[in-house]
Amino acid sequence: MKKSLLGSFLLFLALFAQAQDARTVFINMPDSLMPLLTKVNREDCIDFLDSKMRAQVKNKFGNTSEMTDLSVDYIRMKMTEQSDWQMKLLTTTDSTKIVCAISTACAPACDSEIRFYTTDWQELPASQFILLPVMDDFFLNPDSTKQLEYTEARDAADLFLMKASLNKEDDTLTFSMTTTDYLSQEIADKVKSFLSKPLKDYNVLNVILAHLPQNKKCHTIRCDTFLPVFVYDLFLRLLPVFQAIRFL
């Protein structure tokens, strides 16, 4: 009986862990959140990559979409020639898995939309997990001798465009200000001259993905491994159940 219970418990953990990987979450995504692809399209992309084939499928518009990256916790799709989509499974500070999904469109300057979901695709308020940068975060404060030039450059950047990228190797999120991509070369050069030094080649800015106070800005995070923490927590929760069964 004890071996049977232990086996059932381990099987449950294995099934739960599988349900928490990126491919399973991706396949089970509602079509309404990715209307360009069907569930069959999503399954085919994964099957193609598993078979070491190029993961291209015909989307609902009859054009080609391609899965370019797939790992346990990360997926990237090239949806069209001008757009892509990324997702990453992240662990919050309370060891809960969430999905960070980023849609990016370029025409030609890129702009991204970031959303967060539970692993069954219930949308979560982004403000619970991240404090997004604003345009001023990408600029240096000028000295008094360049105040006029700074004001002119800052005014020229009249539309804030920002590209967000997830790192497939770790849990960092990088923002790049792309406003200069739609400006003329002359004006873009003036704007770039006032961008802060950590923002290299269009301005890398890392932001924490975790539960943060709204008045706190941070610039990097590496999430802790999820499964060992979850297994231990689940074991403690189920221990009274096993103890009760033991005496039946």
Side-chain angles (χ1 to χ4, degrees), residues 105-165:
C106 305
C110 297
D111 195 38
S112 297
E113 180 183 45
I114 305 172
R115 294 191 177 187
F116 293 87
Y117 302 90
T118 63
T119 53
D120 60 354
W121 295 102
Q122 301 300 310
E123 188 167 4
L124 300 166
S127 60
Q128 289 185 6
F129 307 101
I130 194 168
L131 182 62
L132 292 172
V134 296
M135 187 181 289
D136 286 341
D137 292 328
F138 293 87
F139 282 89
L140 284 169
N141 290 322
D143 59 45
S144 57
T145 63
K146 293 188 175 182
Q147 187 63 50
L148 179 59
E149 293 93 330
Y150 170 80
T151 300
E152 291 177 348
R154 184 66 178 77
D155 289 345
D158 56 348
L159 178 63
F160 182 37
L161 298 175
M162 182 173 66
K163 181 180 180 181
S165 299

Side-chain angles (χ1 to χ4, degrees), residues 14-82:
L15 291 173
F16 184 90
Q18 183 181 24
Q20 294 288 302
D21 67 12
R23 66 175 61 206
T24 305
V25 173
F26 178 69
I27 288 173
N28 292 327
M29 173 191 293
D31 289 349
S32 60
L33 296 180
M34 186 173 280
L36 204 57
L37 300 179
T38 66
K39 183 175 183 179
V40 172
N41 288 151
R42 298 194 295 272
E43 291 172 332
D44 285 346
C45 284
I46 291 173
D47 290 342
F48 289 149
L49 282 186
D50 285 343
S51 301
K52 310 300 181 184
M53 299 168 61
R54 193 168 180 179
Q56 293 184 328
V57 296
K58 289 292 183 183
N59 58 45
K60 290 182 180 179
F61 289 163
N63 298 318
T64 299
S65 297
E66 181 178 5
M67 181 178 287
T68 59
D69 293 279
L70 171 65
S71 68
V72 173
D73 61 0
Y74 176 81
I75 288 175
R76 180 180 181 271
M77 292 288 308
K78 184 69 174 175
M79 302 300 293
T80 69
E81 288 297 321
Q82 292 80 34

Side-chain angles (χ1 to χ4, degrees), residues 175-194:
F175 289 105
S176 303
M177 193 182 89
T178 59
T179 298
T180 51
D181 288 355
Y182 88 91
L183 299 174
S184 68
Q185 188 63 52
E186 180 183 0
I187 296 177
D189 288 342
K190 290 180 180 179
V191 173
K192 290 178 186 178
S193 68
F194 291 101

